[in-house]
Amino acid sequence: MSEFLDNLATAWPRFVDGFWVTVQLSVGGALVGFVVAVVLGIAASTGTAWLTGPARVIIEFFRGTSLVVQLFFIFYVIPTVTGYDIGSLGTGILAFGLNYGAYGAEVVRGSLKAVPKGQWETTTALSMSYPTALRRVIWPQAWALMLPGLNNLAVMLVKGTALASLILLTDITEVADRARRTMSTYEAFGVAAVLYLAIALAFSAFLRWLEVRAHRKLGRGKRAPRRTEDVEAPGAGAAMQGVNA
């Protein structure tokens, strides 16, 4: 144990540096991915050909091609063609955001479609425009539905950042690989596993908090009174709240 602690103390500064690189990739990729998911998910759910068509093409392209290929393309090909280099960290954030954002777009689209049809009909009866209906009635309900799926994707993104070493970033995995020179393999990658777990748990806790908050806003939280009409028509109150907002 003492030998392990001594080796860990020597390697710890490098692990800290790798940890922050992974955090930047995870947070940056999650933010880019969320924007991509919302834009493409809404576009794909409109049913309008000139919006749905391009959105489907982009979604299927990034879902259907390898993340490794996307990393290499952005890192090596785009700077060669355009002469503009966004660097290793920028490449990682963009590639992870686009890839996981494409998967997230399906979560967003599915959640919007899962909102009861009566809610959409209510907004039509009230002569709401699509943006107003989406913002005041549909999105609050879809947001609560999509958070578990986005939570799962966020954890997958954190683990996916282990590919960052392919574009010359010294992340947790790269540091662990180098630490094998002074530590045993299971010790080095054991430390890496704990660091990845810490980041994933932080993401998961934050998104679970958002989920609880979203349900409480819809009157479905633990503090909300249970009423028969709420059980029979989930989300019905959200439409009226949106109208009265």
Side-chain angles (χ1 to χ4, degrees):
M1 177 61 72
S2 60
E3 182 180 356
F4 165 70
L5 293 177
D6 290 339
N7 292 334
L8 179 59
T10 301
W12 186 246
R14 295 194 298 273
F15 272 112
V16 171
D17 291 340
F19 175 83
W20 286 117
V21 169
T22 299
V23 167
Q24 291 178 73
L25 285 171
S26 300
V27 174
L31 291 175
V32 172
F34 178 73
V35 173
V36 171
V38 171
V39 172
L40 294 180
I42 292 176
S45 67
T46 59
T48 305
W50 65 273
L51 284 175
T52 302
R56 292 300 330 164
V57 170
I58 296 172
I59 290 171
E60 296 306 328
F61 174 81
F62 283 102
R63 289 201 310 166
T65 56
S66 169
L67 176 56
V68 174
V69 173
Q70 294 166 23
L71 280 168
F72 284 160
F73 188 87
I74 296 174
F75 188 64
Y76 292 109
V77 178
I78 289 183
T80 301
V81 174
T82 64
Y84 184 71
D85 187 1
I86 60 176
S88 296
L89 185 61
T91 295
I93 290 173
L94 181 60
F96 292 127
L98 290 172
N99 186 271
Y100 287 95
Y103 287 98
E106 286 297 279
V107 175
V108 173
R109 184 188 66 81
S111 299
L112 290 172
K113 294 294 185 183
V115 174
K117 186 178 179 180
Q119 301 294 298
W120 292 94
E121 293 173 346
T122 299
T123 62
T124 302
L126 293 172
S127 300
M128 287 186 180
S129 64
Y130 182 82
T132 301
L134 186 66
R135 177 175 59 86
R136 300 177 66 176
V137 179
I138 305 302
W139 182 262
Q141 299 176 67
W143 175 240
L145 295 173
M146 71 180 69
L147 279 168
L150 295 179
N151 191 339
N152 187 50
L153 284 175
V155 173
M156 292 175 63
L157 188 154
V158 171
K159 296 185 294 183
T161 59
L163 295 173
S165 59
L166 297 176
I167 52 173
L168 310 180
L169 280 173
T170 307
D171 66 327
I172 293 174
T173 301
E174 178 66 14
V175 171
D177 188 50
R178 294 181 182 180
R180 290 190 302 160
R181 300 168 187 170
T182 56
M183 305 170 66
S184 67
T185 300
Y186 76 86
E187 289 175 343
F189 284 102
V191 173
V194 170
L195 293 178
Y196 277 115
L197 180 61
I199 300 173
L201 288 177
F203 267 80
S204 186
F206 175 67
L207 288 170
R208 285 183 185 278
W209 174 77
L210 287 180
E211 184 182 352
V212 171
R213 185 169 178 267
H215 281 287
R216 282 180 177 170
K217 281 192 171 184
L218 294 175
R220 303 173 188 167
K222 294 180 180 179
R223 298 179 183 176
R226 292 181 62 82
R227 298 177 298 179
T228 304
E229 55 269 29
D230 290 337
V231 176
E232 294 177 349
M240 296 310 300
Q241 290 175 6
V243 172
N244 295 330

